[in-house]
Amino acid sequence: MAIWLYRVLCGAAWILLALPLLYLSTKPKYRRSIPARFFPFVRVFTPRSSGFCKDFCPHIWLHACSFGEIKSLEPIIQALATPTRNILLTTTTQTGFDLAQSSYTSEPTIRVEFLPFEIFLPFYARRLKQLQALVVTEAELWLELFHTAKALGAQTLLINARISTRSYPKYRRFRAFYRVLFSYIDRVFAQTQADTDRLSTLGARNIHIFGNLKLLSPIHISHTYPKPKNRLVIVAASTHRGEEELVLQAFSALKKVDSSKMDSACGLESPKTQKMDSSLLILAPRHPERFDEVSTLLESSDFSFTRFSQSDLTHCPPSDIQVILLDTLGELNNCYVIADIVILGGAFVPAGGHNPLEPAFFGTKLISGEAIFNQEALFACIDGYTLCKPSELESTLLAHQSLPHSSYKHAQASLSTLIQAITTHKD
C-alpha cells in the first residue's frame, strides 16, 4: 500500500512540476539531465533516452548524485569491472554524467545513464532482470529505486551513508517514510558513528561504520605546473556565490601588506618594482556555469587577471597577473601542488563545505568556513586546518605565517570488504 501511495504522490508531483521542469530544461545546466530524467519517452526532447539500458542487462547498478560522488566510485568500479560483468552507472547531474562518460565511454561492459525519475523506473524492470546488486551512495534515498531492485531479487546497499547534524531534524519529520524506504535496503555502510546513530533512528538496519568512500581514492595530478618563485600562491577552491567577494577582499588586504613590504625593502626609487605583487590568487568557482559571472566580477575589480583557459601555466604567470580564474574542470589538484594556502569554499555560506582531503594531501595551509556540516566526516580525517567566520577571513589570511600545515590521515576503510559485500549474493 505504501509504495502505491508513494507512486501516486510522485505522479502528482510530476504533473504539477512538468511545465517548470520544461522551462528549466532550456538552461544549459539542465539541458540534458531534466529531459532524460523527467521526460524519457518524449523523443523530441531526448532522442536516446528511451534507450535506458536498451540492449544492456546490468549485473551491478551503481548510483551517485554528482561529480564528487561519481569520482569517489572509481576504485569500486575498477575493482568490480570484469569482461563478464555489466555495470550500470547512473547519476542525476550533468557534471556527474560528463565525468562518468569521459571515464567509461570506451568500456563495453559499463553503461552510463541519467537516473529516470521514480515513476518511470518500473517501465524498465524487464531490462534489469539480471540485476544482482544495487549500490547507492550517500543520501540518494529514492524509494522506487530500492523497491525496483528488491522486486528483481537484487541485494541493495547504501554506502558512504551520512546524515548531517543540520539535515537530521528534516529527516526525522519524515521518519515514517524512511522506515518504509530502509525496509528495502539490505546493508548500510555509514561514514561515522554519529551517522550510524541517526540512520538507525530512521529504520536503517545492518549498519556498518566504514568511513568515507573518498578515502579510498588515490590523489592524482594530471599536469605538473612550475611554482612561481618568490610568490605566495593562494588557491580559493570551490567557491559559491558571495564567497568570491570575501576572498577578493581578504586578498586585497594581503596585497596591501605585500606592497608595503616591498616599499620597505626596495625604497621608492623603483616604481616598476612597486607594481610587482608577491601574491598570486587562483580562484576556482564550484559551478562551471558561474565562470562568466566571476569573470565579470573580476573585470570590475582592481585586480589584473587572466582566465586559466586562455593562459599557459606550463610557464610561470607574469608577475603583473594577480588573479587566475580557474575556468577548467579537473585542474584543482594540479593547482594544490603549487599552493601555499588553500581557502576552501562552500563553508562561508551555508552550503555545507567541500572535500578537504586533496589540499590536505599536499600539505597546504588550509582555511575554510565554519559551515562544514556536509563534510564533518572528512574534516575529521585530517589535521592542521583552520575554520573561521566570514568576517574573520581577512585577518586569518593576513596571519597565514602562523597557520599550521594540513596533513592527510590515510584510509582505514577496506575496499576489499566493500567489494565482497557487493558481490556476495544472499539467498
Side-chain angles (χ1 to χ4, degrees):
M1 179 65 70
I3 190 68
W4 284 105
L5 176 60
Y6 177 73
R7 288 170 175 171
V8 169
L9 292 174
C10 286
W14 182 87
I15 292 171
L16 289 173
L17 296 174
L19 288 178
L21 287 169
L22 284 173
Y23 171 74
L24 278 177
S25 68
T26 64
K27 308 293 184 181
K29 181 178 180 179
Y30 306 108
R31 191 164 293 160
R32 283 192 287 169
S33 61
I34 284 182
R37 296 194 62 217
F38 294 94
F39 305 96
F41 299 116
V42 184
R43 286 183 172 273
V44 67
F45 296 126
T46 53
R48 69 177 294 279
S49 65
S50 59
F52 179 83
C53 280
K54 186 176 182 180
D55 302 322
F56 185 85
C57 288
H59 303 111
I60 307 291
W61 183 351
L62 302 172
H63 174 69
C65 176
S66 58
F67 187 96
E69 290 75 28
I70 290 290
K71 192 169 184 61
S72 71
L73 287 175
E74 286 181 0
I76 296 176
I77 294 173
Q78 291 172 2
L80 287 173
T82 69
T84 58
R85 178 182 288 145
N86 288 339
I87 298 174
L88 171 64
L89 178 57
T90 58
T91 183
T92 58
T93 65
Q94 186 61 58
T95 53
F97 183 86
D98 289 342
L99 174 62
Q101 278 283 75
S102 63
S103 300
Y104 307 112
T105 188
S106 62
E107 301 293 334
T109 59
I110 300 177
R111 174 74 67 89
V112 177
E113 298 278 3
F114 284 107
L115 177 70
F117 182 54
E118 296 279 77
I119 60 175
F120 301 110
L121 285 174
F123 293 99
Y124 297 111
R126 281 190 292 181
R127 299 180 183 179
L128 305 169
K129 59 186 178 181
Q130 295 184 22
L131 189 66
Q132 298 168 0
L134 167 70
V135 184
V136 177
T137 63
E138 298 201 10
E140 285 289 281
L141 298 175
W142 297 99
L143 175 56
E144 188 67 66
L145 175 60
F146 286 105
H147 175 267
T148 298
K150 289 305 297 179
L152 292 165
Q155 67 166 330
T156 54
L157 298 89
L158 180 66
I159 65 173
N160 216 39
R162 63 176 177 86
I163 297 180
S164 69
T165 304
R166 183 186 179 96
S167 62
Y168 181 55
K170 300 176 184 176
Y171 281 93
R172 279 187 57 83
R173 283 198 291 270
F174 298 96
R175 57 183 176 272
F177 165 77
Y178 287 110
R179 286 191 181 279
V180 174
L181 187 148
F182 278 111
S183 70
Y184 295 107
I185 301 178
D186 295 320
R187 301 179 72 178
V188 177
F189 290 85
Q191 294 187 25
T192 66
Q193 181 62 54
D195 293 313
T196 298
D197 296 340
R198 293 166 188 155
L199 287 161
S200 64
T201 65
L202 299 176
R205 51 204 172 93
N206 295 330
I207 309 175
H208 311 268
I209 300 175
F210 185 77
N212 195 285
L213 199 60
K214 292 176 182 177
L215 290 169
L216 299 177
S217 300
I219 307 297
H220 295 296
I221 60 172
S222 55
H223 292 89
T224 301
Y225 300 118
K227 180 175 173 56
K229 293 182 179 179
N230 302 319
R231 300 191 75 177
L232 184 74
V233 179
I234 304 164
V235 176
S238 299
T239 55
H240 290 241
R241 181 174 287 115
E243 292 185 319
E244 290 87 10
E245 290 86 350
L246 288 170
V247 170
L248 292 176
Q249 180 182 347
F251 183 64
S252 178
L254 181 65
K255 189 165 69 75
K256 291 177 182 177
V257 173
D258 291 339
S259 180
S260 175
K261 289 180 178 178
M262 287 183 190
D263 287 346
S264 299
C266 304
L268 301 177
E269 304 86 22
S270 177
K272 182 177 180 180
T273 302
Q274 292 180 48
K275 293 180 182 178
M276 302 272 286
D277 191 27
S278 62
S279 298
L280 172 68
L281 173 65
I282 301 175
L283 183 56
R286 172 68 173 180
H287 299 109
E289 63 270 18
R290 296 192 60 243
F291 290 159
D292 290 340
E293 173 189 334
V294 178
S295 178
T296 300
L297 174 65
L298 288 169
E299 287 172 357
S300 64
S301 73
D302 295 329
F303 298 106
S304 57
F305 84 100
T306 184
R307 296 179 72 133
F308 181 90
S309 59
Q310 299 171 357
S311 61
D312 181 10
L313 283 194
T314 55
H315 303 286
C316 289
S319 57
D320 60 342
I321 293 296
Q322 299 165 339
V323 180
I324 296 175
L325 173 59
L326 188 59
D327 59 349
T328 304
L329 294 177
E331 290 285 351
L332 261 181
N333 281 355
N334 302 333
C335 293
Y336 288 152
V337 176
I338 63 172
D340 299 294
I341 302 168
V342 170
I343 301 173
L344 191 58
F348 297 100
V349 296
H354 291 298
N355 181 5
L357 295 181
E358 285 94 346
F361 179 83
F362 294 108
T364 69
K365 295 186 175 185
L366 178 59
I367 303 170
S368 193
E370 296 182 338
I372 58 168
F373 48 85
N374 284 337
Q375 305 295 335
E376 291 169 347
L378 289 185
F379 274 90
C381 298
I382 65 173
D383 289 320
Y385 59 90
T386 302
L387 303 183
C388 65
K389 296 180 174 64
S391 60
E392 298 170 343
L393 178 58
E394 180 178 319
S395 60
T396 302
L397 184 60
L398 289 175
H400 66 85
Q401 290 183 339
S402 64
L403 297 180
H405 288 270
S406 57
S407 59
Y408 182 76
K409 296 179 182 178
H410 291 285
Q412 295 181 354
S414 169
L415 178 60
S416 60
T417 298
L418 194 55
I419 297 303
Q420 183 178 13
I422 294 171
T423 56
T424 300
H425 311 299
K426 296 182 179 181
D427 294 331

